[in-house]
Amino acid sequence: DSGVTQTPKHLITATGQRVTLRCSPRSGDLSVYWYQQSLDQGLQFLIQYYNGEERAKGNILERFSAQQFPDLHSELNLSSLELGDSALYFCASSGRGLAGVYEQFFGPGTRLTVL
Amino acid sequence: TQLLEQSPQFLSIQEGENLTVYCNSSSVFSSLQWYRQEPGEGPVLLVTVVTGGEVKKLKRLTFQFGDARKDSSLHITAAQPGDTGLYLCAGGSAGNMLTFGGGTRLMVKP
């Protein structure tokens, strides 16, 4: 158990809809990262938040947005969903580790199916 | 843009065999992580290597970081069916960002 929690575990919805995925980082971790993993694909970095502020953006679509709240949990909002958005969405968190050591700890993921 | 290439992409072996997975880049990384991911689950951190030339052992798994910190390898001795999964390498850089390789899908047959 990494200490990172994600809800829901599974989500089935229709095209055009909007969903919200939730992530709680490990206790004490200030950074949260969101990744998308499509079938048989690698991990695609979407966005990073650090202590409530957006820190870095990856290949995140304009239809997607995220935020990190004062209690450090984060939400990823996906809107105008398309079939191609079906994927596993992972949240990861990291803390202040040793200098030069960059580790991220992953949650169990949310499997999104768009029908 | 930093890229990490993993090879092979797929590996199917018999129980008891040895194998090596490679992770290569033209970029220097501050640290290198190896993760294992099982279907439908999140990647689990196996090891972090930081120093060029560093070797770490985790039971039957041996991880090595290249001298120039651009490449890494994972060697499994006497593979078991429980080793089956997707192995991902990830290079760490400033800002606590990770660059992931494409992964090596390993299947160990009993």
Side-chain angles (χ1 to χ4, degrees):
Chain A
D1 185 354
S2 67
V4 178
T5 61
Q6 287 187 250
T7 57
K9 180 73 172 171
H10 301 279
L11 199 48
I12 301 175
T13 188
T15 54
Q17 294 298 304
R18 172 190 168 96
V19 297
T20 298
L21 313 183
R22 183 187 168 103
C23 167
S24 291
R26 293 187 316 163
S27 177
D29 283 358
L30 298 180
S31 281
V32 169
Y33 310 78
W34 287 97
Y35 292 86
Q36 179 191 59
Q37 186 177 42
S38 301
L39 190 63
D40 291 334
Q41 297 287 316
L43 285 163
Q44 298 297 317
F45 169 67
L46 297 178
I47 197 164
Q48 177 200 4
Y49 276 81
Y50 176 82
N51 202 20
E53 300 288 329
E54 182 184 303
R55 176 65 68 90
K57 259 186 176 180
N59 300 319
I60 187 166
L61 300 172
E62 285 192 10
R63 300 183 285 108
F64 296 1
S65 64
Q67 52 185 330
Q68 186 179 27
F69 295 87
D71 67 352
L72 301 178
H73 90 271
S74 178
E75 293 181 355
L76 179 66
N77 300 295
L78 314 176
S79 62
S80 302
L81 285 168
E82 302 175 359
L83 295 177
D85 297 327
S86 295
L88 276 165
Y89 291 84
F90 290 104
C91 167
S93 76
S94 67
R96 181 177 295 180
L98 296 173
V101 181
Y102 304 109
E103 298 175 332
Q104 294 179 18
F105 297 88
F106 283 78
T110 292
R111 179 176 293 279
L112 174 66
T113 302
V114 182
L115 301 175
Chain B
T1 303
Q2 296 178 310
L3 292 174
L4 270 173
E5 293 189 3
Q6 279 187 244
S7 61
Q9 285 185 287
F10 301 96
L11 196 52
S12 181
I13 61 172
Q14 293 295 135
E15 182 176 1
E17 292 184 8
N18 302 332
L19 67 115
T20 302
V21 176
Y22 299 93
C23 179
N24 295 295
S25 175
S26 58
S27 303
V28 175
F29 290 100
S30 300
S31 61
L32 199 294
Q33 281 74 244
W34 284 91
Y35 292 83
R36 189 175 93 188
Q37 184 181 17
E38 300 197 20
E41 299 183 10
V44 175
L45 180 64
L46 296 175
V47 77
T48 299
V49 285
V50 179
T51 307
E54 182 177 2
V55 176
K56 280 191 174 179
K57 291 193 175 185
L58 186 66
K59 296 183 180 179
R60 295 175 293 100
L61 278 61
T62 301
F63 305 86
Q64 185 163 9
F65 202 11
D67 291 341
R69 291 187 292 145
K70 293 182 179 181
D71 55 88
S72 181
S73 64
L74 157 60
H75 182 79
I76 301 179
T77 303
Q80 299 178 0
D83 296 326
T84 293
L86 178 67
Y87 289 82
L88 295 160
C89 66
S93 56
N96 211 359
M97 299 301 298
L98 292 183
T99 300
F100 278 88
T104 295
R105 196 166 295 278
L106 171 66
M107 176 173 288
V108 182
K109 301 174 186 176

